[in-house]
Structure formats: C-alpha cells, structure tokens
Short mmCIF file of all heavy atoms in Angstrom, two decimals:
data_model
loop_
_atom_site.label_atom_id
_atom_site.label_comp_id
_atom_site.label_asym_id
_atom_site.label_seq_id
_atom_site.Cartn_x
_atom_site.Cartn_y
_atom_site.Cartn_z
N VAL A 9 -103.42 107.69 177.86
CA VAL A 9 -103.59 108.00 179.28
C VAL A 9 -103.08 109.41 179.54
O VAL A 9 -102.02 109.81 179.05
CB VAL A 9 -102.79 107.00 180.16
CG1 VAL A 9 -102.94 107.34 181.63
CG2 VAL A 9 -103.23 105.58 179.89
N HIS A 10 -103.84 110.16 180.34
CA HIS A 10 -103.43 111.52 180.73
C HIS A 10 -104.00 111.81 182.10
O HIS A 10 -104.95 111.18 182.54
CB HIS A 10 -103.95 112.54 179.70
CG HIS A 10 -103.31 113.88 179.86
ND1 HIS A 10 -103.83 114.87 180.66
CD2 HIS A 10 -102.18 114.40 179.32
CE1 HIS A 10 -103.05 115.94 180.61
NE2 HIS A 10 -102.04 115.67 179.80
N GLY A 11 -103.43 112.79 182.77
CA GLY A 11 -103.94 113.22 184.07
C GLY A 11 -105.27 113.94 183.92
O GLY A 11 -105.70 114.27 182.82
N ASP A 12 -105.92 114.20 185.04
CA ASP A 12 -107.25 114.82 184.99
C ASP A 12 -107.21 116.34 184.86
O ASP A 12 -108.25 116.99 184.96
CB ASP A 12 -108.09 114.40 186.19
CG ASP A 12 -107.52 114.83 187.53
OD1 ASP A 12 -106.43 115.45 187.57
OD2 ASP A 12 -108.17 114.55 188.55
N ASP A 13 -106.04 116.90 184.60
CA ASP A 13 -105.98 118.33 184.31
C ASP A 13 -106.40 118.56 182.86
O ASP A 13 -106.22 117.71 182.00
CB ASP A 13 -104.57 118.89 184.56
CG ASP A 13 -103.48 118.12 183.85
OD1 ASP A 13 -103.59 116.89 183.76
OD2 ASP A 13 -102.52 118.74 183.38
N ILE A 14 -107.00 119.70 182.61
CA ILE A 14 -107.55 120.00 181.29
C ILE A 14 -106.44 120.40 180.33
O ILE A 14 -105.60 121.24 180.66
CB ILE A 14 -108.60 121.11 181.39
CG1 ILE A 14 -109.76 120.63 182.28
CG2 ILE A 14 -109.10 121.52 180.02
CD1 ILE A 14 -110.73 121.74 182.66
N THR A 15 -106.42 119.80 179.15
CA THR A 15 -105.46 120.13 178.10
C THR A 15 -106.23 120.50 176.85
O THR A 15 -106.96 119.67 176.31
CB THR A 15 -104.54 118.92 177.81
OG1 THR A 15 -103.98 118.47 179.05
CG2 THR A 15 -103.41 119.31 176.89
N VAL A 16 -106.06 121.74 176.40
CA VAL A 16 -106.81 122.21 175.23
C VAL A 16 -105.87 122.83 174.20
O VAL A 16 -104.75 123.22 174.52
CB VAL A 16 -107.89 123.23 175.62
CG1 VAL A 16 -108.96 122.60 176.51
CG2 VAL A 16 -107.29 124.43 176.32
N THR A 17 -106.36 122.90 172.97
CA THR A 17 -105.61 123.56 171.90
C THR A 17 -105.75 125.07 172.05
O THR A 17 -106.50 125.56 172.90
CB THR A 17 -106.15 123.14 170.52
OG1 THR A 17 -107.48 123.63 170.39
CG2 THR A 17 -106.12 121.63 170.35
N ALA A 18 -105.08 125.82 171.19
CA ALA A 18 -105.19 127.28 171.20
C ALA A 18 -106.62 127.74 170.94
O ALA A 18 -107.03 128.82 171.36
CB ALA A 18 -104.24 127.88 170.17
N ASP A 19 -107.40 126.89 170.27
CA ASP A 19 -108.81 127.19 169.98
C ASP A 19 -109.75 126.77 171.10
O ASP A 19 -110.97 126.91 170.98
CB ASP A 19 -109.25 126.49 168.69
CG ASP A 19 -108.43 126.93 167.48
OD1 ASP A 19 -108.00 128.10 167.47
OD2 ASP A 19 -108.22 126.10 166.59
N GLY A 20 -109.20 126.19 172.18
CA GLY A 20 -110.02 125.76 173.30
C GLY A 20 -110.63 124.38 173.14
O GLY A 20 -111.52 124.00 173.89
N VAL A 21 -110.15 123.60 172.17
CA VAL A 21 -110.67 122.24 171.92
C VAL A 21 -109.87 121.23 172.75
O VAL A 21 -108.64 121.29 172.80
CB VAL A 21 -110.57 121.90 170.41
CG1 VAL A 21 -111.05 120.48 170.15
CG2 VAL A 21 -111.36 122.90 169.58
N ASP A 22 -110.57 120.31 173.38
CA ASP A 22 -109.94 119.25 174.16
C ASP A 22 -108.97 118.47 173.27
O ASP A 22 -109.36 117.94 172.22
CB ASP A 22 -111.03 118.32 174.70
CG ASP A 22 -110.50 117.18 175.57
OD1 ASP A 22 -109.28 116.97 175.64
OD2 ASP A 22 -111.34 116.50 176.18
N THR A 23 -107.70 118.36 173.68
CA THR A 23 -106.70 117.69 172.84
C THR A 23 -106.93 116.17 172.75
O THR A 23 -106.36 115.52 171.90
CB THR A 23 -105.28 117.94 173.37
OG1 THR A 23 -105.19 117.51 174.72
CG2 THR A 23 -104.90 119.40 173.27
N TYR A 24 -107.77 115.64 173.61
CA TYR A 24 -108.03 114.20 173.60
C TYR A 24 -109.45 113.87 173.13
O TYR A 24 -109.92 112.75 173.32
CB TYR A 24 -107.77 113.61 175.00
CG TYR A 24 -106.34 113.79 175.41
CD1 TYR A 24 -105.98 114.75 176.34
CD2 TYR A 24 -105.33 113.02 174.83
CE1 TYR A 24 -104.65 114.93 176.70
CE2 TYR A 24 -104.01 113.20 175.19
CZ TYR A 24 -103.68 114.16 176.12
OH TYR A 24 -102.37 114.34 176.46
N HIS A 25 -110.15 114.82 172.52
CA HIS A 25 -111.55 114.59 172.14
C HIS A 25 -111.73 113.42 171.17
O HIS A 25 -112.71 112.70 171.25
CB HIS A 25 -112.18 115.87 171.57
CG HIS A 25 -111.69 116.27 170.21
ND1 HIS A 25 -110.50 116.91 170.01
CD2 HIS A 25 -112.25 116.11 168.99
CE1 HIS A 25 -110.33 117.13 168.72
NE2 HIS A 25 -111.39 116.65 168.07
N ILE A 26 -110.77 113.20 170.30
CA ILE A 26 -110.89 112.11 169.32
C ILE A 26 -110.80 110.75 169.99
O ILE A 26 -111.66 109.88 169.78
CB ILE A 26 -109.80 112.25 168.23
CG1 ILE A 26 -109.97 113.57 167.47
CG2 ILE A 26 -109.83 111.06 167.28
CD1 ILE A 26 -108.79 113.94 166.60
N VAL A 27 -109.80 110.56 170.85
CA VAL A 27 -109.63 109.26 171.50
C VAL A 27 -110.69 109.04 172.58
O VAL A 27 -111.08 107.91 172.85
CB VAL A 27 -108.19 109.07 172.06
CG1 VAL A 27 -107.20 108.95 170.92
CG2 VAL A 27 -107.79 110.18 173.00
N LYS A 28 -111.18 110.13 173.17
CA LYS A 28 -112.28 110.00 174.14
C LYS A 28 -113.54 109.50 173.44
O LYS A 28 -114.21 108.58 173.94
CB LYS A 28 -112.56 111.34 174.82
CG LYS A 28 -111.54 111.72 175.89
CD LYS A 28 -111.86 113.08 176.50
CE LYS A 28 -110.87 113.44 177.58
NZ LYS A 28 -111.13 114.78 178.16
N ALA A 29 -113.85 110.08 172.29
CA ALA A 29 -115.05 109.68 171.54
C ALA A 29 -114.98 108.22 171.11
O ALA A 29 -116.00 107.54 171.01
CB ALA A 29 -115.24 110.59 170.33
N ALA A 30 -113.76 107.73 170.88
CA ALA A 30 -113.58 106.34 170.45
C ALA A 30 -113.47 105.38 171.63
O ALA A 30 -113.29 104.17 171.43
CB ALA A 30 -112.32 106.24 169.57
N GLY A 31 -113.54 105.89 172.86
CA GLY A 31 -113.44 105.03 174.04
C GLY A 31 -112.04 104.53 174.31
O GLY A 31 -111.86 103.51 174.97
N ARG A 32 -111.04 105.24 173.82
CA ARG A 32 -109.64 104.79 173.97
C ARG A 32 -108.83 105.77 174.81
O ARG A 32 -107.65 105.97 174.59
CB ARG A 32 -109.02 104.58 172.59
CG ARG A 32 -109.74 103.43 171.87
CD ARG A 32 -109.16 103.10 170.57
NE ARG A 32 -107.79 102.62 170.65
CZ ARG A 32 -107.06 102.35 169.59
NH1 ARG A 32 -107.58 102.48 168.38
NH2 ARG A 32 -105.82 101.94 169.72
N TYR A 33 -109.48 106.36 175.80
CA TYR A 33 -108.84 107.33 176.69
C TYR A 33 -109.02 106.87 178.13
O TYR A 33 -110.10 106.43 178.53
CB TYR A 33 -109.48 108.70 176.50
CG TYR A 33 -108.96 109.77 177.43
CD1 TYR A 33 -107.79 110.46 177.15
CD2 TYR A 33 -109.64 110.09 178.60
CE1 TYR A 33 -107.32 111.44 178.01
CE2 TYR A 33 -109.17 111.07 179.46
CZ TYR A 33 -108.01 111.73 179.16
OH TYR A 33 -107.53 112.70 180.00
N ARG A 34 -107.95 106.94 178.92
CA ARG A 34 -108.01 106.63 180.35
C ARG A 34 -107.43 107.83 181.09
O ARG A 34 -106.47 108.44 180.65
CB ARG A 34 -107.22 105.38 180.70
CG ARG A 34 -107.65 104.12 179.98
CD ARG A 34 -109.04 103.69 180.39
NE ARG A 34 -109.41 102.43 179.79
CZ ARG A 34 -110.00 102.30 178.61
NH1 ARG A 34 -110.28 103.35 177.88
NH2 ARG A 34 -110.31 101.11 178.14
N GLU A 35 -108.02 108.12 182.23
CA GLU A 35 -107.61 109.29 182.99
C GLU A 35 -107.04 108.88 184.35
O GLU A 35 -107.59 107.99 185.00
CB GLU A 35 -108.83 110.19 183.18
CG GLU A 35 -108.50 111.56 183.71
CD GLU A 35 -109.71 112.48 183.62
OE1 GLU A 35 -109.89 113.10 182.56
OE2 GLU A 35 -110.46 112.53 184.60
N CYS A 36 -105.96 109.52 184.73
CA CYS A 36 -105.36 109.31 186.05
C CYS A 36 -105.71 110.50 186.93
O CYS A 36 -105.60 111.64 186.49
CB CYS A 36 -103.84 109.21 185.95
SG CYS A 36 -103.24 107.84 185.00
N LYS A 37 -106.10 110.24 188.15
CA LYS A 37 -106.41 111.32 189.09
C LYS A 37 -105.11 112.00 189.52
O LYS A 37 -104.09 111.34 189.73
CB LYS A 37 -107.15 110.78 190.31
CG LYS A 37 -108.52 110.24 189.98
CD LYS A 37 -109.43 111.36 189.54
CE LYS A 37 -110.78 110.85 189.12
NZ LYS A 37 -111.51 111.80 188.31
N ARG A 38 -105.18 113.28 189.64
CA ARG A 38 -104.04 114.08 190.08
C ARG A 38 -103.78 113.81 191.56
O ARG A 38 -104.71 113.69 192.35
CB ARG A 38 -104.37 115.55 189.86
CG ARG A 38 -103.33 116.50 190.34
CD ARG A 38 -103.70 117.92 189.90
NE ARG A 38 -103.37 118.96 190.83
CZ ARG A 38 -102.19 119.25 191.27
NH1 ARG A 38 -101.16 118.55 190.90
NH2 ARG A 38 -101.99 120.24 192.12
N THR A 39 -102.51 113.73 191.92
CA THR A 39 -102.13 113.57 193.32
C THR A 39 -101.91 114.97 193.89
O THR A 39 -101.01 115.68 193.44
CB THR A 39 -100.84 112.72 193.45
OG1 THR A 39 -101.07 111.46 192.83
CG2 THR A 39 -100.47 112.53 194.91
N GLN A 40 -102.73 115.35 194.85
CA GLN A 40 -102.64 116.68 195.44
C GLN A 40 -101.24 116.93 195.98
O GLN A 40 -100.68 116.09 196.68
CB GLN A 40 -103.67 116.81 196.57
CG GLN A 40 -103.86 118.20 197.07
CD GLN A 40 -104.47 119.14 196.03
OE1 GLN A 40 -105.18 118.70 195.13
NE2 GLN A 40 -104.20 120.40 196.14
N GLY A 41 -100.67 118.05 195.63
CA GLY A 41 -99.36 118.43 196.13
C GLY A 41 -98.20 117.91 195.31
O GLY A 41 -97.04 118.20 195.61
N VAL A 42 -98.45 117.12 194.26
CA VAL A 42 -97.38 116.62 193.41
C VAL A 42 -97.45 117.33 192.07
O VAL A 42 -98.46 117.27 191.37
CB VAL A 42 -97.50 115.08 193.20
CG1 VAL A 42 -96.44 114.60 192.22
CG2 VAL A 42 -97.37 114.36 194.52
N SER A 43 -96.39 118.01 191.71
CA SER A 43 -96.34 118.75 190.46
C SER A 43 -95.43 118.02 189.48
O SER A 43 -94.22 117.90 189.72
CB SER A 43 -95.79 120.16 190.71
OG SER A 43 -95.40 120.76 189.50
N THR A 44 -95.99 117.51 188.38
CA THR A 44 -95.15 116.84 187.39
C THR A 44 -94.19 117.84 186.74
O THR A 44 -93.07 117.48 186.40
CB THR A 44 -96.00 116.16 186.30
OG1 THR A 44 -96.91 117.11 185.76
CG2 THR A 44 -96.76 114.98 186.86
N THR A 45 -94.61 119.10 186.63
CA THR A 45 -93.71 120.12 186.08
C THR A 45 -92.49 120.26 186.97
O THR A 45 -91.35 120.32 186.49
CB THR A 45 -94.45 121.46 185.96
OG1 THR A 45 -95.59 121.28 185.15
CG2 THR A 45 -93.55 122.54 185.38
#
C-alpha cells in the first residue's frame, strides 16, 4: 500500500511497478492539506 503520490527510482522507473503488474498493489488517496513529511 502506498499513497497516490508518484515514487520513482533515480532512473525514473515506478518503484512499485513489479507489485502493480502482479495485482498486489493498493493505493490510498492523498488527503489535501495533510503532509506526511
């Protein structure tokens, strides 16, 4: 599970591409105005 913000490697590859392709990825919508950082 990850938020809907884009996370990529230094090469620009989606860090979750493997689990997405296998159907084992779930996405949480970002809450506007809430910064996890």
Side-chain angles (χ1 to χ4, degrees):
V9 179
H10 193 270
D12 62 359
D13 52 324
I14 298 169
T15 307
V16 296
T17 66
D19 300 328
V21 177
D22 181 351
T23 56
Y24 298 105
H25 72 281
I26 298 168
V27 292
K28 284 179 179 178
R32 295 184 63 185
Y33 176 83
R34 301 294 184 271
E35 192 169 273
C36 297
K37 295 293 177 198
R38 176 173 144 60
T39 303
Q40 191 66 26
V42 175
S43 164
T44 53
T45 303

